[in-house]
Amino acid sequence: MSRIAGILICVFLMTGAAIGQEDYIAKRKLMVEAQIKARGIVSPATLRAMSKVPRHLFVPEGMKIYAYTDGPLPIGNGQTISQPYIVAFMTQALRLKQDHKVLEIGTGSGYQAAVLAKIVDSVYTIEIVKDLALRAQKKLYNMGYDNIEVRWGDGYNGWPGEAPFDAIMVTAGAESIPQPLIDQLKVGGRMIIPVGPHNSIRQLVLVHKKKNKVVKKELMAVRFVPFTREKNRKP
Ligand code: SAH
């Protein structure tokens, strides 16, 4: 009798898990349709990546049910994972190609890096909070992303050993555009970065590095956690 009960419990748990997974897939599909396509994102590569990466695996356990809602979510250490639409908007703005080498500043949960890694051959990402950097590194490795390198450190100076990059994405709000990042961009490359005074609504700026000039264009107003510097960071 207890064996039958055991089997029944097992079957119940297995179907429960299966329904859970399908539910996430359905929620993700809806997220792409209602939040991303509906707001005008058209890049096929961006839409494909957003519909593939399991966002619920990048948020804390208790936040999983909100993973596909239309907003940012806390990821621990006082940081947040951006709203899905903003992730898609910033990704599309870089006009990525498969053979691109991309640098991200602000790994956070690793979600944005995973989205980029579905589109391009190699992603380098830097996170200033050690705990977040180590967690994201472990998570991405366990999930099988073998084209992402995570480094713990201050992203202000970029990643000179791997420069130049075809594209750079900064996912923390900066007061100005770090010159080392402009220097590490290839000619023809693009960078997207939220810029504005501390703790304010900032402008998402698209930087296009041309042969003899750097063209900057403000795309939209956004709110981001601040870009911090190693010397200012609390322990
Ligand atoms: N892209 C992330 C969300 C980023 S939140 C995701 O998909 O989850 C912004 C992150 O930038 C935070 O984790 C913050 O710690 C980090 N950050 C802030 N200043 C930084 C700096 N100078 N160098 C590297 N990371 C920084």
Side-chain angles (χ1 to χ4, degrees), residues 75 79-82 87 104-113 126-129 132 153-156 171-172 225-229:
I75 53 169
Q79 306 302 327
T80 56
I81 180 173
S82 305
V87 171
E104 181 200 19
I105 309 298
T107 317
S109 67
Y111 174 70
Q112 173 74 71
I126 307 176
E127 168 57 52
I128 202 166
V129 177
L132 289 175
D154 181 352
Y156 182 90
T171 62
V225 295
F227 188 99
T228 50
R229 297 302 315 279

Side-chain angles (χ1 to χ4, degrees), residues 7-123:
I7 290 168
L8 283 176
I9 289 171
C10 265
V11 168
F12 176 77
L13 288 176
M14 280 162 70
T15 24
I19 287 168
Q21 272 312 318
E22 298 216 332
D23 208 31
Y24 284 129
I25 293 169
K27 282 184 175 175
R28 193 153 66 242
K29 216 172 150 200
L30 191 63
M31 169 192 88
V32 172
E33 293 297 326
Q35 302 173 32
I36 297 173
K37 268 195 198 170
R39 291 198 182 107
I41 301 295
V42 291
S43 147
T46 301
L47 294 171
R48 207 177 316 119
M50 297 293 296
S51 51
K52 277 193 185 156
V53 180
R55 187 170 158 95
H56 62 283
L57 300 183
F58 289 88
V59 299
E61 198 57 39
M63 288 288 151
K64 275 188 172 175
I65 51 165
Y66 307 113
Y68 297 99
T69 53
D70 195 10
L73 288 174
I75 53 169
N77 297 74
Q79 306 302 327
T80 56
I81 180 173
S82 305
Q83 179 189 13
Y85 170 64
I86 298 294
V87 171
F89 183 90
M90 292 175 77
T91 306
Q92 171 172 274
L94 292 177
R95 301 203 196 170
L96 301 170
K97 296 202 175 81
Q98 201 207 310
D99 63 352
H100 277 180
K101 188 175 187 181
V102 179
L103 173 68
E104 181 200 19
I105 309 298
T107 317
S109 67
Y111 174 70
Q112 173 74 71
V115 169
L116 293 168
K118 285 277 182 217
I119 303 175
V120 302
D121 287 340
S122 47
V123 176

Side-chain angles (χ1 to χ4, degrees), residues 191-224:
M191 163 161 55
I192 187 139
I193 174 169
V195 187
H198 189 66
N199 272 341
S200 67
I201 292 186
R202 309 185 205 238
Q203 277 295 327
L204 212 42
V205 177
L206 184 68
V207 179
H208 191 185
K209 184 167 171 179
K210 302 200 173 175
K211 224 175 183 172
N212 299 315
K213 58 178 177 178
V214 174
V215 180
K216 296 171 195 159
K217 197 171 154 194
E218 294 187 348
L219 301 183
M220 73 157 123
V222 282
R223 224 175 234 296
F224 266 84

